[in-house]
Amino acid sequence: MFIDRKHAGRELSNKLLYLKDENPLVLAIPRGGVPVGYEIAKALQADFSLIIVRKLPFPYNPESGFGAIAEDGSGVILNQAKSIFSAETIETIIEEQKLEIKRRIQVLRGGLPLPEITGRTVILVDDGIAMGSTMLAAIKLIKKRDPKSLIVTAPVSSPEVGRALDKNNAVDDAVILERPQFFRAVAQVYENWRDIPDHEVLDIMKQWKIEKTHKQYHE
């Protein structure tokens, strides 16, 4: 069990220290991945930013999804979704999530573009991986930009998704601390679990900028 996302990020950092000399770029998926990614970036003295990806939620059950879309339009849609929903329904949900992606880019990343990815070691992080579609959409985006290497990391995943990531040729390493045999939800490995609001993400990013400026000043 992890106490919270901060604790999980510190535990992951211990498994990622081998990347410190690579000058990696840590990209966290908001909102839950941000406190995890912050701890990793701090431990590795890495660059840190947000990559915006949205789950495509079922109309009648927004906690579950049938795919995901990244900020550049890279997407993953489960095959069975096309037999459940009409093309019009799917397109409507995609457009709704594109609007939320635009909002998050403006609000959480200040309207800034993603940092340069080409030729860099990228660590892609979330607070957990359930179905895997959100992570797969983010992987697609990153691979289009030709990183030197891509490491996917999370405190927990289902065993099936973990195995799929291990075998994914687009991923150089998958660092996942817990793969419960009886996986129900990401929250099951956290003692303290709650949704993170925008303002907490902004506070974390503000703290990151302060620490980065302080470090540069003393170099």
Side-chain angles (χ1 to χ4, degrees):
M1 290 287 291
F2 304 107
I3 298 170
D4 52 21
R5 292 178 176 92
K6 187 173 183 178
H7 175 221
R10 289 175 175 172
E11 292 294 309
L12 276 173
S13 299
N14 294 329
K15 301 292 185 181
L16 296 166
L17 287 174
Y18 74 98
L19 297 167
K20 188 172 183 179
D21 293 339
E22 294 282 322
N23 185 32
L25 167 64
V26 176
L27 292 177
I29 298 175
R31 293 185 284 244
V34 178
V36 183
Y38 169 76
E39 294 298 327
I40 294 170
K42 187 165 64 171
L44 273 59
Q45 298 180 3
D47 291 333
F48 182 41
S49 189
L50 310 180
I51 182 169
I52 311 302
V53 189
R54 290 292 296 165
K55 175 177 62 182
L56 301 175
F58 284 115
Y60 50 81
N61 182 11
E63 293 302 313
S64 298
F66 60 88
I69 186 168
E71 60 183 86
D72 72 334
S74 297
V76 175
I77 297 180
L78 302 181
N79 290 331
Q80 57 264 41
K82 296 174 183 178
S83 63
I84 299 173
F85 306 120
S86 67
E88 291 77 12
T89 297
I90 292 174
E91 189 57 34
T92 297
I93 293 169
I94 289 173
E95 290 305 314
E96 289 171 352
Q97 294 311 313
K98 282 182 177 179
L99 289 175
E100 177 61 14
I101 285 171
K102 288 181 181 179
R103 188 195 74 81
R104 291 190 178 207
I105 290 173
Q106 289 299 319
V107 173
L108 302 183
R109 210 168 65 207
L112 297 173
L114 277 168
E116 182 63 46
I117 287 173
T118 303
R120 298 201 67 178
T121 295
V122 177
I123 301 171
L124 175 60
V125 58
D126 206 349
D127 56 1
I129 310 172
M131 292 192 316
S133 55
T134 302
M135 192 64 81
L136 288 174
I139 289 169
K140 279 190 173 184
L141 183 161
I142 292 167
K143 291 301 289 187
K144 286 180 183 177
R145 303 193 179 197
D146 196 24
K148 176 184 176 182
S149 61
L150 173 58
I151 291 82
V152 170
T153 187
V156 61
S157 81
S158 66
E160 296 79 11
V161 168
R163 286 193 293 270
L165 288 171
D166 291 337
K167 297 175 182 177
N168 190 323
N169 292 330
V171 174
D172 294 281
D173 196 5
V175 180
I176 301 168
L177 298 182
E178 300 291 340
R179 304 182 185 196
Q181 182 179 357
F182 300 106
F183 179 85
R184 300 183 307 278
V186 168
Q188 76 186 68
V189 300
Y190 289 90
E191 292 180 18
N192 299 301
W193 176 265
R194 60 184 178 82
D195 291 337
I196 295 178
D198 284 352
H199 72 82
E200 286 193 28
V201 172
L202 293 172
D203 287 346
I204 291 170
M205 299 312 295
K206 181 179 179 181
Q207 181 62 30
W208 170 253
K209 289 174 185 175
I210 291 170
E211 292 175 1
K212 185 176 181 181
T213 301
H214 179 78
K215 180 188 169 208
Q216 290 173 340
Y217 179 79
H218 288 278
E219 285 180 347

